[in-house]
Structure formats: C-alpha cells, structure tokens
C-alpha cells in the first residue's frame, strides 16, 4: 500500500512537471512563435508601409489579422507544435535530472568504498573512477597520463609476477586477487590488494578488466611483526630444547661415572616408599 502511494505520488509529480512544459510550449507557440513567423512572412511578401498609418498602427493591424478566425488553422498548428516542443523539452529536462540524481547516487557509493575503483583497457592503460589519492597519492588524471600509468607504479621486484598472473584473465572471464607493492607519490612503498575481473567483447576478444585496489600496508606490517615474533619464539624453543638435551647428557655421564641409580629410577623408588 505504501509503495503504491509513493508510486502514485511520483507519477503525479512527473505529470505535473510535464504539464507545465506542455502549457508553456503551447503558450509560446500561440503568442510568440505564431505572430513572429506570420509577421516575418508578411514583411517578406508585402510592404509594411501603408499610407496614412503609423508603424504602431501597422503592427496592431498585423496582430489583429494573425489572431483572426481566418488564421485559426495556423494558430492551432503553432499551438500544437509549441506543446509538442514543450513536451520534448520537458522530457529531456526530466531525463537529465534523473541522470544527475543517478550519477550522484552511484558517485556517493563509489566514494564510500575504501579503495580505488578502476577500469583497465585491453592495452592495460587505466581509467581511474575514484579514490586513487587514498591508495597512491596521485590524482586520477595523473595516473591516466601514460608517463605515469598504474603499471609504472608497480614495484620493479613485483611487476613481472603481476603481469604473469594477469595473463590468464585475458584468456577467459575470470576474477583474481593479487597482492603486490607500489611506489606512492610521496616516495613510500605501499602494499595493495588488487581485486580484478576480466570482461570480453561480443566477438570473444579481451576488452579489459574492472577492479578495486585496497591499501593493505598496515596488514602487511602486522604480518611481518607476527612472523618475526613467531620466529623468535621458535628460536627460544630450540635454545631451551638444546639446554634440556645438554643437561640430560650431563646427568647421564654423571650416573655412569658414579654408578648410582638413574634419576628416574630414584624418583620411582622414593614415590613407592
């Protein structure tokens, strides 16, 4: 019920909007375009100067003739033509307003994504949609410049692997995720996670990729710290294990030299008493 009410309300507003343009077009057609065209036509075919009449009198006579019953067909024609033009113009205005709202809506969605949205073409040139600044510091038009370009931002040590993995998505529609380093505008090295999906033309040829790039530098730094800490713990365990082994061997030698019962046997004997 609520959705029907909203639809009817929207339809009423839409009809009201179009009605205004139709009425305006009809008004202009009848009162502006019709007299203007008829006067110009009269001027081109008959002299405007009438003996004994001023210019104002002549204009009044022309307007009176234009709106007479003899010119009714022409008047209706211009009115209808004006209404049609108003309808078409109103439709264009309404479409442009809807496109503007739609563009803002999707623009807001894109800007709220915490990553860079892009489209890569078949030649691997890149069209940046939004949010390149938060990833690498460059503006979209700077990255789209062939002197910079997204491929040129990829770290030299990672570039070969990135392109090698990307080749397979040019063969069929596929989605992949790549993690690699880039060189940011401020000179720093940033880790990114590149989620891309390939698409193809109707003839089956590779057309490009759509993707989103996220900055994962903090996550990578955390992973490196955890790895370093894990390796440190492993080293501590190895050292402690070596110390226990050395102690055991020392006790074994001591037992053999003194001829005493092994420590484990002594402990069992004590527990049994």
């Amino acid at each position: 019920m609520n959705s029907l009410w909203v639809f009817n309300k929207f339809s009423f507003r839409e009809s009201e909007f179009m009605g205004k343009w139709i009425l305006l077009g009809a008004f202009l057609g009848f009162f502006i375009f019709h007299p203007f065209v008829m006067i110009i036509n009269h001027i081109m075919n008959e002299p405007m100067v009438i003996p004994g009449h001023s210019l104002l009198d002549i204009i009044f006579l022309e307007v009176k003739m234009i709106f007479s019953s003899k010119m009714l067909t022409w008047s209706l024609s211009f009115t209808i033509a004006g209404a049609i033009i108003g309808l078409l113009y109103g439709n264009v205005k309404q479409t442009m307003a809807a496109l503007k709202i739609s563009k803002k809506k999707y623009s807001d969605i894109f800007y709220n994504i915490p990553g860079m949205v892009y489209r890569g073409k078949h030649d691997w040139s890149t069209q940046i949609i939004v949010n390149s600044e938060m990833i690498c510091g460059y503006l979209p038009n700077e990255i789209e410049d062939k002197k910079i370009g997204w491929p040129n931002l990829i770290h030299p040590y990672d570039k070969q692997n990135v392109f090698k993995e990307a080749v397979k998505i040019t063969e069929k529609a596929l989605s992949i995720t790549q993690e690699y380093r880039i060189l940011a505008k401020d000179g720093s090295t940033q880790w990114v996670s590149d989620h891309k999906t390939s698409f193809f033309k109707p003839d089956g040829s590779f057309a490009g990729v759509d993707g989103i790039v996220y900055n994962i530098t903090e996550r990578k730094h955390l992973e490196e710290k955890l790895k370093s800490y894990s390796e440190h713990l492993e080293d501590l365990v190895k050292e402690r294990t070596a110390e226990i082994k050395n102690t055991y061997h020392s006790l074994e030698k001591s037992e053999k030299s003194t001829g005493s019962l092994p420590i484990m046997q002594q402990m069992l004997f004590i527990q049994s008493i």
Side-chain angles (χ1 to χ4, degrees):
M1 185 69 182
N2 289 335
S3 60
L4 181 62
W5 179 82
V6 172
F7 175 76
N8 290 333
K9 186 176 180 181
F10 176 77
S11 299
F12 175 76
R13 287 182 179 178
E14 184 180 33
S15 301
E16 186 181 13
F17 177 82
M18 296 302 296
K20 288 179 180 179
W21 285 108
I22 293 172
L23 289 174
L24 179 60
F27 176 84
L28 292 175
F30 186 81
F31 290 103
I32 305 298
F33 299 136
H34 173 219
F36 178 77
V37 172
M38 297 306 295
I39 290 172
I40 293 298
N41 182 63
H42 198 169
I43 291 172
M44 297 295 294
N45 292 283
E46 297 181 21
M48 285 291 292
V49 179
I50 301 175
H53 290 79
S54 65
L55 180 61
L56 187 62
D57 293 334
I58 295 170
I59 293 174
F60 176 76
L61 290 172
E62 290 288 339
V63 172
K64 185 177 179 181
M65 180 193 68
I66 289 168
F67 291 108
S68 66
S69 58
K70 294 180 181 180
M71 303 298 293
L72 182 63
T73 303
W74 280 102
S75 299
L76 290 175
S77 298
F78 276 97
T79 303
I80 293 171
I84 293 172
I85 293 172
L87 175 64
L88 294 175
Y89 183 76
N91 189 40
V92 170
K93 288 279 289 183
Q94 193 173 43
T95 302
M96 290 178 66
L99 287 173
K100 187 176 180 180
I101 293 171
S102 178
K103 183 179 180 182
K104 186 179 185 306
K105 175 183 175 182
Y106 287 104
S107 177
D108 290 343
I109 292 173
F110 279 135
Y111 277 109
N112 288 332
I113 295 174
M116 182 185 78
V117 182
Y118 73 93
R119 165 162 286 190
K121 300 177 183 177
H122 64 91
D123 60 355
W124 295 109
S125 59
T126 310
Q127 177 189 359
I128 305 300
I129 310 300
V130 289
N131 297 339
S132 60
E133 301 95 319
M134 71 167 60
I135 301 299
C136 60
Y138 287 100
L139 296 171
N141 62 323
E142 291 178 312
I143 297 178
E144 291 170 7
D145 186 354
K146 292 183 179 179
K147 292 181 180 179
I148 299 177
W150 183 258
N152 295 329
L153 298 181
I154 300 174
H155 197 284
Y157 292 162
D158 299 337
K159 187 175 292 188
Q160 185 176 355
N161 288 335
V162 171
F163 280 102
K164 187 178 179 180
E165 291 177 3
V167 168
K168 56 187 177 184
I169 67 173
T170 65
E171 300 169 354
K172 61 179 180 179
L174 196 66
S175 296
I176 63 171
T177 300
Q178 297 176 294
E179 294 185 357
Y180 53 88
R181 290 166 292 178
I182 62 169
L183 302 176
K185 188 175 184 178
D186 60 4
S188 63
T189 299
Q190 302 290 322
W191 276 95
V192 297
S193 178
D194 187 354
H195 303 252
K196 61 184 70 172
T197 301
S198 57
F199 60 94
F200 292 76
K201 296 178 182 177
D203 62 4
S205 60
F206 175 67
V209 298
D210 288 326
I212 302 177
V213 177
Y214 299 99
N215 191 318
I216 58 169
T217 305
E218 290 185 7
R219 193 195 82 190
K220 281 292 183 179
H221 288 167
L222 182 59
E223 287 177 356
E224 290 175 2
K225 289 180 180 179
L226 290 173
K227 184 180 178 181
S228 176
Y229 184 68
S230 177
E231 291 175 350
H232 177 64
L233 289 177
E234 288 178 2
D235 291 340
L236 290 176
V237 170
K238 288 178 181 179
E239 290 177 5
R240 185 58 179 164
T241 303
E243 289 176 0
I244 292 172
K245 285 182 179 179
N246 291 333
T247 303
Y248 177 77
H249 290 314
S250 298
L251 290 173
E252 236 183 7
K253 289 180 181 179
S254 176
E255 289 168 358
K256 288 179 181 179
S257 62
T258 58
S260 58
L261 290 171
I263 294 175
M264 290 300 295
Q265 291 181 5
Q266 291 181 21
M267 292 177 66
L268 290 172
F269 176 75
I270 293 169
Q271 288 179 358
S272 63
I273 296 175

